[in-house]
Amino acid sequence: MRLFLFIVAIAVSGLFSSCPQQVADDLQKVEHESSAPPAADRQAVLVELFTSEGCSSCPPADRNLVFLEKQQPVAQAEIITLAFHVDYWDRLGWKDRFSSPLYSRRQQIYTEALNLNSNYTPQMVVDGKSEFVGSDSGKASKEISKSAESAKALIEVTAEENHLKVKIRNAPRHGEATVYAAIAEDGISTRVERGENSGKTLEHISVVRELKTVGVLAEDKNELEVSSDFQVGAEWKPENLKVVVFVQENQARRIIGVGKVKLR
C-alpha cells in the first residue's frame, strides 16, 4: 500500500509501520515545515556514501557517515549526508533491501567524471568533486573543509501537505545543472543473515529511498523556483524521513547548492 503524505513526511527518512488510521491521525498533527539556509559561518556541503550491506569493509564507512551527520566535526561546514546502497553486491550472498541499480549508475557516472578505473565500496564523494575510501575520517574532514570554502547557491526547501517547494537563489557561476530531491531515512537497523556481514547488525543513516529530478537550472540562471509532489512508501516511518535537495552540474558533477528539510 502506498500512502500520500504531507511531504513534510518526506523530509526525514523511514518506514511506515502504523495502521492506516493511525497514520491519517498523525498526519493531521504535522505542521508546515520549512528549511532555512545554513548560518552565515557554515557552508552546506553534500557528502555521499556508496555502500552495501553485503560489503564487509562498508560498516566502518557507515559509522563514519553517522559521525559526520550527527557530530558535524567541521566548524565551517553544515554537513548534509546521503547513503546510496549499490546493487552489485546483491548477487554475492545477501540482498540489500535498500539497493538500486539507479544508485550503482549514479556511482558509475562519478567513476567516469573523476577518471577512475571502476566502482568500489565504500566510496565517499564530497560535493561531487573529490572521492576517497568512505571509512577515511581524516580525508573526509579535509575534503569537507576544503569544499566549505566554495560559494554555493542558497536553497530553501518547504514541505506542506504532499507538496515540496524549492527556492534557489544566488547560484555561483555554473554549467547547466539538475535539481534533485532525495528522500532519505535515518535510524535504520538491519540484521544481516548471509554474505560477508553475516551475523552482524548494521546501523544506517541517510539511506536514500528515492532520488527524483525536480528541475533544471540553466547555465545563464542563478535562481529558480520549482515544486514537486511525492508518494511515500507504506513501510516508511515519517518521523525518520527527510528530503535533501541539491543542484548538480550535468557535466562536471559539481554540487553548487544543497539544502534539506525534515519531519519533526
Side-chain angles (χ1 to χ4, degrees):
M1 176 180 178
R2 306 283 290 180
L3 296 177
F4 286 93
L5 236 328
F6 276 107
I7 198 13
V8 174
I10 301 168
V12 170
S13 79
L15 289 132
F16 269 118
S17 57
S18 309
C19 68
Q21 183 57 52
Q22 183 61 51
V23 170
D25 292 343
D26 289 345
L27 289 179
Q28 294 187 9
K29 300 175 183 177
V30 176
E31 298 181 353
H32 169 94
E33 293 287 344
S34 177
S35 70
D41 58 343
R42 296 178 77 90
Q43 179 67 273
V45 174
L46 179 64
V47 176
E48 301 172 67
L49 177 66
F50 293 92
T51 186
S52 172
E53 292 183 341
C55 160
S56 62
S57 57
C58 285
D62 294 333
R63 291 192 292 271
N64 190 25
L65 197 72
V66 171
F67 173 77
L68 292 172
E69 173 78 23
K70 291 188 174 182
Q71 301 302 318
Q72 296 291 321
V74 180
Q76 66 270 39
E78 178 195 1
I79 303 170
I80 297 176
T81 64
L82 290 174
F84 290 95
H85 286 233
V86 299
D87 71 335
Y88 49 82
W89 280 91
D90 289 355
R91 64 184 181 274
L92 300 177
W94 177 253
K95 173 72 168 66
D96 187 333
R97 60 193 169 116
F98 308 113
S99 67
S100 169
L102 175 64
Y103 307 152
S104 298
R105 176 56 186 156
R106 179 169 177 80
Q107 187 183 29
Q108 181 61 35
I109 292 171
Y110 274 134
T111 295
E112 295 165 3
L114 297 172
N115 297 313
L116 305 177
N117 292 327
S118 64
N119 291 0
Y120 70 90
T121 55
Q123 182 187 38
M124 195 166 278
V125 179
V126 175
D127 268 348
K129 298 183 295 185
S130 62
E131 66 82 31
F132 47 91
V133 175
S135 54
D136 190 339
S137 58
K139 180 70 170 177
S141 293
K142 178 180 177 181
E143 293 300 330
I144 292 168
S145 180
K146 184 189 303 182
S147 193
E149 297 174 358
S150 300
K152 285 199 182 73
L154 297 176
I155 297 182
E156 181 181 348
V157 187
T158 301
E160 189 172 7
E161 297 183 350
N162 64 334
H163 198 64
L164 178 70
K165 293 182 179 179
V166 179
K167 293 183 180 180
I168 301 167
R169 297 182 289 115
N170 300 336
R173 196 170 183 177
H174 61 87
E176 183 174 83
T178 299
V179 183
Y180 294 96
I183 307 173
E185 178 182 359
D186 293 331
I188 293 177
S189 179
T190 298
R191 175 72 176 179
V192 178
E193 305 286 341
R194 296 176 300 280
E196 292 190 358
N197 289 316
S198 180
K200 295 181 180 179
T201 297
L202 305 181
E203 306 294 334
H204 303 308
I205 200 169
S206 301
V207 175
V208 177
R209 289 295 205 164
E210 182 180 358
L211 181 64
K212 182 175 182 177
T213 299
V214 296
V216 173
L217 184 64
E219 185 173 1
D220 60 345
K221 302 293 184 182
N222 69 354
E223 60 182 41
L224 180 70
E225 292 190 21
V226 294
S227 60
S228 179
D229 292 327
F230 281 86
Q231 190 175 15
V232 175
E235 75 278 18
W236 303 356
K237 293 180 180 177
E239 68 272 19
N240 288 340
L241 292 175
K242 61 190 172 189
V243 178
V244 174
V245 174
F246 59 96
V247 186
Q248 183 166 38
E249 288 183 309
N250 296 338
Q251 293 300 317
R253 309 307 294 169
R254 176 177 60 124
I255 304 296
I256 62 171
V258 58
K260 69 177 180 179
V261 67
K262 55 186 175 181
L263 175 67
R264 294 179 181 175

